Amino acid sequence: MIRSDEEIQSIRDACIIAATVLEQLANSVQEGMTTYDLDQIGRQAIKGLGAESACYNYRNGNHIFPAYTCISVNEEIVHGIGTLHRVIRAGDVVSIDVVIRYRGYIGDNARTVLIAPVADENQRLVEVTEQSLAYAISFARAGNRVGDISNAVERFVKRHNFGIVRDFVGHGVGATMHEAPQIPNFGRRGSGALLKPGMTLAIEPMINLGTPEIKMLDDGWTAVTADRKNSAHFEHTVLVTDEDPEILTIPKK
Ligand code: MF3
Ligand code: CO
């Protein structure tokens, strides 16, 4: 979808809030706290900025998401639900995904935080996932196609032999959380929808240390790696322009 200048400004505002909340959560994660505690910090931060969680009460079939943010630890890939039963431990890999609505528009972003002491393989996993996102964003240019973004992630990650999750994808975002086009983290160069100035896209590689295969937990939301090895997730909302892509989910200084 091509956004009007007014819509783009509204999406910008929403994205800055999403990024500010995510940064606050990333700075708050500590060994010993529960993922429920972290989610509650998110709830308050979102409220404090005059926004609302787009995750809370989000519906997928019969399942209604019960938390304010998604917190996915270690083998959890995405859509983890903060709970008093999960304590964050030394060495954990904590993925935090914040999606907020502000004045009718959505901002969506995620990142993975490492708790000390950091194992080398986790450090590499997180670096490669973050770098694959930066590389993919560099292809979010007018005249390119969705497949150029997808292929960039795939090409980057394959060199490092990690598992690329195929069951979840990036997406258009703006007035609702998930809009066309879908943006897989694998694909052919030059395939898929043409990118045009004014499109807002959530690009989000989800990368596993081991197998790309996933399993769903009984809660209907939490996706975990089939081999229970660790997973990382980075996401930005990006505006396609006439020039360089603009990353919208950067917190205000
Ligand atoms: N960034 C995630 C996504 O695009 C956020 C999902 S929120 C939830 O799917 F409600 F579905 F958990
Ligand atoms: Co998303």
Side-chain angles (χ1 to χ4, degrees), residues 141-142 196-198 240-244:
R141 312 186 77 90
K196 297 178 182 166
V240 179
T241 77
D242 284 317
E243 297 171 17
D244 290 341

Side-chain angles (χ1 to χ4, degrees), residues 100-120:
I100 68 92
R101 187 180 300 102
Y102 180 69
R103 299 188 176 166
Y105 289 89
I106 302 282
D108 185 358
N109 66 166
R111 63 166 106 153
T112 299
V113 178
L114 295 166
I115 311 297
V118 177
D120 285 353

Side-chain angles (χ1 to χ4, degrees), residues 12-245:
R12 266 201 191 97
D13 293 343
C15 284
I16 289 170
I17 292 174
T20 304
V21 172
L22 179 58
E23 180 160 87
Q24 191 182 332
L25 290 178
N27 290 334
S28 304
V29 198
Q30 272 191 23
E31 181 187 347
M33 75 198 291
T34 67
T35 55
Y36 176 85
D37 297 332
L38 193 58
D39 187 57
Q40 288 296 307
I41 295 172
R43 179 178 69 81
Q44 291 192 355
I46 293 166
K47 196 174 164 193
L49 292 165
E52 59 186 339
S53 165
C55 294
Y56 185 70
N57 278 340
Y58 183 81
R59 214 187 166 98
N60 183 15
N62 287 331
H63 297 285
I64 296 178
F65 196 76
Y68 297 85
T69 64
C70 300
I71 301 170
S72 310
V73 181
N74 294 343
E75 77 285 355
E76 297 173 350
I77 303 167
V78 286
H79 305 162
I81 299 166
T83 163
L84 288 166
H85 301 293
R86 187 131 197 180
V87 177
I88 293 169
R89 304 281 186 203
D92 275 355
V93 177
V94 184
S95 298
I96 307 168
D97 191 341
V98 173
V99 196
I100 68 92
R101 187 180 300 102
Y102 180 69
R103 299 188 176 166
Y105 289 89
I106 302 282
D108 185 358
N109 66 166
R111 63 166 106 153
T112 299
V113 178
L114 295 166
I115 311 297
V118 177
D120 285 353
E121 61 174 11
N122 291 335
Q123 183 74 45
R124 272 201 340 114
L125 173 68
V126 164
E127 276 173 15
V128 166
T129 307
E130 185 167 21
Q131 288 166 5
S132 76
L133 172 59
Y135 187 57
I137 289 171
S138 75
F139 288 84
R141 312 186 77 90
N144 281 355
R145 290 181 181 271
V146 167
D148 295 304
I149 297 173
S150 302
N151 182 262
V153 177
E154 182 174 16
R155 216 159 359 107
F156 192 92
V157 172
K158 272 201 168 153
R159 287 195 282 140
H160 299 271
N161 250 326
F162 292 134
I164 301 170
V165 174
R166 302 175 85 91
D167 298 75
F168 298 94
V169 295
H171 48 91
V173 61
T176 60
M177 183 158 46
H178 295 137
E179 300 179 354
Q182 292 198 350
I183 309 176
N185 293 302
F186 58 91
R188 285 172 195 273
R189 270 173 164 165
S191 70
L194 187 62
L195 303 181
K196 297 178 182 166
M199 288 181 164
T200 44
L201 308 173
I203 305 175
E204 49 178 321
M206 290 149 271
I207 307 299
N208 301 344
L209 271 183
T211 179
E213 299 306 317
I214 76 150
K215 286 214 160 65
M216 292 302 298
L217 296 189
D218 288 339
D219 63 20
W221 289 104
T222 312
V224 300
T225 56
D227 59 9
R228 300 302 199 267
K229 291 187 179 172
N230 290 342
S231 182
H233 179 209
F234 282 80
E235 174 175 30
H236 274 304
T237 301
V238 174
L239 173 68
V240 179
T241 77
D242 284 317
E243 297 171 17
D244 290 341

